[in-house]
Amino acid sequence: MKTMKAAVFERPGRIVIQERPIPEVGPTDALLRVTLTTICGTDVHILKGEFPVAPGRIVGHEPVGVIERLGAAITGYEVGQRVIVGAITPCGQCNTCLDGHRSQCRGRPMGGWRFGNTIDGCQAEFVLVPDAMANLSPIPDGLTDEQVLMCPDIMSTGISGAENGSVRIGDVVAVFAQGPIGLCATAGARLRGATRVIVVDGIAERLALAKTLGADEAVDCTKTDPVDAIMKLTDGRGVDVSIEALGREQTFEWGLRVLKPGGALSSLGVYSGKLSLPVDAFAAGLGDHTIRTTLCPGGKERMRRLMSIVQSGRVDLRSFVTHRFKLDQIEEAYELFANQRDQVIKVAITP
Ligand SMILES: [Zn+2]
Ligand SMILES: [Zn+2]
């Protein structure tokens, strides 16, 4: 049996490289030789035992690669084609997918998130892509692996924050937290036509990076109260849309408190414990507010659209890759990324 190197979750605190069998390809699968991948904040939650996955699971959900083998039922693709696959791999055929909620595939909460969660992921030399015809998305000629590395998750999630907040031309948008996803939400707000994007974070370098992606004003929440600052910046009017990109009670509450009546809070964060709301923060439920939550949209058409944004030059996320590692060094990469050392934004991992 042929084997491959893979990053495996053993138990909380331990993700290690192991030799694992190269997966067998079923009729509707494709085997991808991974050429580049990355580590997500969610992988760090898995490492710390904060998000449970089965011991022995190969982690990772952001693959860039080359088709190595195709299942017998797959048409329209060729071995050797360069592709990306979204972090979310919908089946594309169940009622929930056909109802437009592909991330909740098969009617299960987060059901579309399979890589590195319910099936083996892509921090490995090879990954098996399920429902390949719904998920393999060819990389346009001329784009490098690094240029499309953010598409499977970070860019898809971040931009969906602006889309699902229904940002309109001329809107004022506030984005809370400027990690990789918040930065993409900032870029998304600008793409959707917001004319004023106010970003909030406590790290100066991230606020500076946000300005290069379309932020107009930056609020350092370690120095000023962001709610006061935003209300002042908007002459007491509040914002049309606020985007929460951290997953904490405080940022969620800030997002509500800066909303104008009729505004929308678009939530991207992953929350744990309990989320409690002071009712005055949303006008006792009578403010015509919208609260919308989103899990990263996936599927090949989503990936095609995101890569077209990259190809058009409207968003350039190459500056996100601050550190590069070989798959063999992934434990070192996790250590750096989990502790957010050396001003890391994202790491690139080459198998
Ligand atoms: Zn992720
Ligand atoms: Zn489905």
Side-chain angles (χ1 to χ4, degrees):
M1 186 190 298
K2 284 205 176 128
T3 65
M4 63 176 188
K5 288 192 173 61
V8 174
F9 171 79
E10 277 192 348
R11 57 182 151 81
R14 258 180 87 76
I15 287 175
V16 294
I17 294 289
Q18 289 183 4
E19 283 291 329
R20 296 287 291 266
I22 295 176
E24 297 289 325
V25 181
T28 58
D29 302 328
L31 184 69
L32 211 64
R33 178 166 57 78
V34 181
T35 53
L36 200 66
T37 186
T38 178
I39 299 175
C40 178
T42 308
D43 297 321
V44 174
H45 288 302
I46 291 170
L47 171 66
K48 291 179 175 169
E50 294 162 356
F51 185 92
V53 303
R57 176 69 68 229
I58 299 172
V59 287
H61 51 259
E62 296 157 279
V64 181
V66 173
I67 297 173
E68 178 81 9
R69 210 168 301 152
L70 289 166
I74 306 295
T75 56
Y77 294 93
E78 284 169 28
V79 168
Q81 237 177 336
R82 292 175 66 222
V83 294
I84 62 169
V85 179
I88 301 301
T89 48
C91 75
Q93 298 184 47
C94 71
N95 291 347
T96 315
C97 279
L98 294 173
D99 206 22
H101 298 283
R102 293 181 300 277
S103 302
Q104 319 299 329
C105 182
R106 290 157 294 161
R108 297 175 203 150
M110 301 181 285
W113 177 31
R114 295 191 268 178
F115 279 152
N117 179 21
T118 56
I119 63 172
D120 281 336
C122 63
Q123 287 168 17
E125 291 179 285
F126 295 92
V127 63
L128 195 67
V129 180
D131 299 304
M133 285 177 70
N135 288 297
L136 298 173
S137 195
I139 301 171
D141 289 339
L143 293 187
T144 64
D145 284 5
E146 260 190 32
Q147 275 178 293
V148 297
L149 180 60
M150 300 304 137
C151 296
D153 184 358
I154 299 306
M155 190 178 176
S156 188
T157 303
I159 287 178
S160 75
E163 293 170 295
N164 287 342
S166 300
V167 172
R168 292 179 305 164
I169 290 167
D171 270 356
V172 181
V173 176
V175 187
F176 292 88
Q178 291 293 286
I181 285 173
L183 288 164
C184 288
T186 298
R190 190 64 170 253
L191 280 173
R192 294 269 306 189
T195 43
R196 201 169 178 200
V197 182
I198 307 167
V199 296
V200 178
D201 201 283
I203 300 174
E205 291 79 15
R206 294 192 169 202
L207 292 172
L209 187 51
K211 291 235 169 142
T212 71
L213 289 167
D216 299 286
E217 277 128 334
V219 175
D220 185 337
C221 59
T222 64
K223 294 192 178 127
T224 41
D225 178 84
V227 175
D228 286 349
I230 290 168
M231 293 316 281
K232 223 170 271 167
L233 283 168
T234 57
D235 297 323
R237 190 170 163 270
V239 303
D240 298 287
V241 178
S242 51
I243 302 174
E244 201 285 345
L246 189 63
R248 303 250 169 89
E249 192 174 83
Q250 185 175 51
T251 38
F252 193 90
E253 185 180 330
W254 285 344
L256 280 176
R257 286 196 184 279
V258 300
L259 274 189
K260 69 169 194 186
L265 168 62
S266 178
S267 171
L268 298 174
V270 182
Y271 302 89
S272 52
K274 192 174 157 203
L275 189 59
S276 50
L277 291 179
V279 287
D280 70 299
F282 74 132
L286 303 175
D288 287 358
H289 293 133
T290 302
I291 297 177
R292 178 83 191 261
T293 67
T294 307
L295 170 64
C296 175
K300 66 180 177 185
E301 169 61 5
R302 175 70 175 178
M303 293 302 115
R304 186 197 64 77
R305 284 173 179 273
L306 295 173
M307 288 190 287
S308 83
I309 296 174
V310 176
Q311 197 176 23
S312 72
R314 281 175 172 67
V315 176
D316 184 353
L317 303 176
R318 274 176 291 186
S319 58
F320 279 29
V321 177
T322 52
H323 296 73
R324 293 168 181 83
F325 295 89
K326 295 276 176 208
L327 181 61
D328 286 331
Q329 305 167 299
I330 202 162
E331 292 172 50
E332 204 183 309
Y334 266 100
E335 201 274 326
L336 174 97
F337 189 70
N339 295 299
Q340 291 288 297
R341 284 197 289 102
D342 291 348
Q343 292 176 20
V344 61
I345 303 282
K346 289 285 278 184
V347 298
I349 308 286
T350 311

mmCIF file of all heavy atoms in Angstrom, residues 89-98 101-102 104-107 114, ligand 2:
data_model
loop_
_atom_site.group_PDB
_atom_site.id
_atom_site.type_symbol
_atom_site.label_atom_id
_atom_site.label_comp_id
_atom_site.label_asym_id
_atom_site.label_seq_id
_atom_site.Cartn_x
_atom_site.Cartn_y
_atom_site.Cartn_z
ATOM 1 N N THR A 89 -17.511 21.474 1.228
ATOM 2 C CA THR A 89 -17.693 20.641 0.037
ATOM 3 C C THR A 89 -19.131 20.113 -0.002
ATOM 4 O O THR A 89 -19.403 18.997 0.424
ATOM 5 C CB THR A 89 -16.693 19.463 0.023
ATOM 6 O OG1 THR A 89 -16.721 18.826 1.314
ATOM 7 C CG2 THR A 89 -15.288 19.929 -0.269
ATOM 8 N N PRO A 90 -20.061 20.925 -0.523
ATOM 9 C CA PRO A 90 -21.456 20.495 -0.596
ATOM 10 C C PRO A 90 -21.618 19.350 -1.591
ATOM 11 O O PRO A 90 -20.835 19.229 -2.532
ATOM 12 C CB PRO A 90 -22.167 21.751 -1.099
ATOM 13 C CG PRO A 90 -21.119 22.515 -1.847
ATOM 14 C CD PRO A 90 -19.833 22.244 -1.122
ATOM 15 N N CYS A 91 -22.674 18.541 -1.383
ATOM 16 C CA CYS A 91 -22.939 17.462 -2.340
ATOM 17 C C CYS A 91 -23.545 18.026 -3.613
ATOM 18 O O CYS A 91 -23.403 17.440 -4.685
ATOM 19 C CB CYS A 91 -23.862 16.407 -1.720
ATOM 20 S SG CYS A 91 -25.593 16.910 -1.591
ATOM 21 N N GLY A 92 -24.225 19.171 -3.487
ATOM 22 C CA GLY A 92 -24.821 19.798 -4.666
ATOM 23 C C GLY A 92 -26.118 19.141 -5.117
ATOM 24 O O GLY A 92 -26.674 19.532 -6.141
ATOM 25 N N GLN A 93 -26.595 18.139 -4.370
ATOM 26 C CA GLN A 93 -27.775 17.386 -4.827
ATOM 27 C C GLN A 93 -28.867 17.225 -3.790
ATOM 28 O O GLN A 93 -29.998 16.881 -4.136
ATOM 29 C CB GLN A 93 -27.320 15.998 -5.296
ATOM 30 C CG GLN A 93 -26.364 16.099 -6.465
ATOM 31 C CD GLN A 93 -25.966 14.746 -7.003
ATOM 32 O OE1 GLN A 93 -26.811 13.896 -7.212
ATOM 33 N NE2 GLN A 93 -24.680 14.562 -7.211
ATOM 34 N N CYS A 94 -28.556 17.451 -2.522
ATOM 35 C CA CYS A 94 -29.587 17.229 -1.490
ATOM 36 C C CYS A 94 -30.566 18.406 -1.467
ATOM 37 O O CYS A 94 -30.328 19.448 -2.077
ATOM 38 C CB CYS A 94 -28.934 17.044 -0.123
ATOM 39 S SG CYS A 94 -28.233 18.571 0.545
ATOM 40 N N ASN A 95 -31.642 18.247 -0.740
ATOM 41 C CA ASN A 95 -32.656 19.312 -0.682
ATOM 42 C C ASN A 95 -32.076 20.608 -0.147
ATOM 43 O O ASN A 95 -32.400 21.690 -0.630
ATOM 44 C CB ASN A 95 -33.832 18.877 0.200
ATOM 45 C CG ASN A 95 -34.642 17.770 -0.441
ATOM 46 O OD1 ASN A 95 -34.483 17.496 -1.635
ATOM 47 N ND2 ASN A 95 -35.497 17.133 0.326
ATOM 48 N N THR A 96 -31.219 20.507 0.859
ATOM 49 C CA THR A 96 -30.669 21.726 1.458
ATOM 50 C C THR A 96 -29.757 22.449 0.473
ATOM 51 O O THR A 96 -29.821 23.669 0.340
ATOM 52 C CB THR A 96 -29.898 21.390 2.755
ATOM 53 O OG1 THR A 96 -30.678 20.484 3.522
ATOM 54 C CG2 THR A 96 -29.623 22.630 3.577
ATOM 55 N N CYS A 97 -28.907 21.709 -0.229
ATOM 56 C CA CYS A 97 -28.061 22.316 -1.265
ATOM 57 C C CYS A 97 -28.922 22.986 -2.332
ATOM 58 O O CYS A 97 -28.678 24.128 -2.715
ATOM 59 C CB CYS A 97 -27.176 21.263 -1.926
ATOM 60 S SG CYS A 97 -25.690 20.863 -0.989
ATOM 61 N N LEU A 98 -29.930 22.261 -2.795
ATOM 62 C CA LEU A 98 -30.762 22.794 -3.880
ATOM 63 C C LEU A 98 -31.655 23.927 -3.392
ATOM 64 O O LEU A 98 -32.203 24.687 -4.184
ATOM 65 C CB LEU A 98 -31.579 21.670 -4.524
ATOM 66 C CG LEU A 98 -30.700 20.639 -5.264
ATOM 67 C CD1 LEU A 98 -31.529 19.459 -5.746
ATOM 68 C CD2 LEU A 98 -29.966 21.276 -6.431
ATOM 69 N N HIS A 101 -28.669 26.483 0.482
ATOM 70 C CA HIS A 101 -27.878 26.521 1.720
ATOM 71 C C HIS A 101 -26.840 25.405 1.719
ATOM 72 O O HIS A 101 -26.888 24.468 2.516
ATOM 73 C CB HIS A 101 -28.798 26.419 2.951
ATOM 74 C CG HIS A 101 -29.750 27.563 3.046
ATOM 75 N ND1 HIS A 101 -29.364 28.806 3.492
ATOM 76 C CD2 HIS A 101 -31.049 27.673 2.710
ATOM 77 C CE1 HIS A 101 -30.399 29.629 3.440
ATOM 78 N NE2 HIS A 101 -31.436 28.971 2.969
ATOM 79 N N ARG A 102 -25.865 25.543 0.791
ATOM 80 C CA ARG A 102 -24.919 24.452 0.567
ATOM 81 C C ARG A 102 -24.006 24.183 1.767
ATOM 82 O O ARG A 102 -23.544 23.065 1.949
ATOM 83 C CB ARG A 102 -24.096 24.735 -0.690
ATOM 84 C CG ARG A 102 -24.957 24.702 -1.954
ATOM 85 C CD ARG A 102 -24.129 24.960 -3.204
ATOM 86 N NE ARG A 102 -23.488 26.247 -3.172
ATOM 87 C CZ ARG A 102 -24.066 27.395 -3.519
ATOM 88 N NH1 ARG A 102 -25.317 27.401 -3.934
ATOM 89 N NH2 ARG A 102 -23.421 28.536 -3.458
ATOM 90 N N GLN A 104 -24.906 24.030 4.701
ATOM 91 C CA GLN A 104 -25.677 23.233 5.662
ATOM 92 C C GLN A 104 -26.144 21.939 4.982
ATOM 93 O O GLN A 104 -27.183 21.378 5.323
ATOM 94 C CB GLN A 104 -26.874 24.033 6.198
ATOM 95 C CG GLN A 104 -26.605 25.491 6.522
ATOM 96 C CD GLN A 104 -25.550 25.680 7.607
ATOM 97 O OE1 GLN A 104 -25.423 24.833 8.507
ATOM 98 N NE2 GLN A 104 -24.792 26.766 7.539
ATOM 99 N N CYS A 105 -25.329 21.466 4.040
ATOM 100 C CA CYS A 105 -25.617 20.284 3.203
ATOM 101 C C CYS A 105 -26.239 19.140 4.005
ATOM 102 O O CYS A 105 -25.799 18.834 5.104
ATOM 103 C CB CYS A 105 -24.293 19.833 2.556
ATOM 104 S SG CYS A 105 -24.399 18.435 1.455
ATOM 105 N N ARG A 106 -27.230 18.480 3.422
ATOM 106 C CA ARG A 106 -27.959 17.356 4.006
ATOM 107 C C ARG A 106 -28.742 17.750 5.266
ATOM 108 O O ARG A 106 -29.039 16.930 6.118
ATOM 109 C CB ARG A 106 -27.018 16.172 4.310
ATOM 110 C CG ARG A 106 -26.505 15.478 3.030
ATOM 111 C CD ARG A 106 -25.233 14.726 3.260
ATOM 112 N NE ARG A 106 -24.153 15.648 3.575
ATOM 113 C CZ ARG A 106 -23.022 15.336 4.168
ATOM 114 N NH1 ARG A 106 -22.804 14.093 4.523
ATOM 115 N NH2 ARG A 106 -22.106 16.249 4.418
ATOM 116 N N GLY A 107 -29.022 19.069 5.361
ATOM 117 C CA GLY A 107 -29.878 19.534 6.453
ATOM 118 C C GLY A 107 -29.257 19.469 7.823
ATOM 119 O O GLY A 107 -29.942 19.569 8.836
ATOM 120 N N ARG A 114 -16.788 19.311 5.694
ATOM 121 C CA ARG A 114 -16.359 17.926 5.873
ATOM 122 C C ARG A 114 -14.843 17.803 6.028
ATOM 123 O O ARG A 114 -14.365 17.130 6.938
ATOM 124 C CB ARG A 114 -16.861 17.100 4.678
ATOM 125 C CG ARG A 114 -18.394 17.053 4.656
ATOM 126 C CD ARG A 114 -18.928 16.041 3.674
ATOM 127 N NE ARG A 114 -19.191 16.628 2.360
ATOM 128 C CZ ARG A 114 -19.634 15.934 1.312
ATOM 129 N NH1 ARG A 114 -19.824 14.630 1.400
ATOM 130 N NH2 ARG A 114 -19.868 16.525 0.156
HETATM 131 ZN ZN ZN B 2 -26.013 18.755 -0.115
#
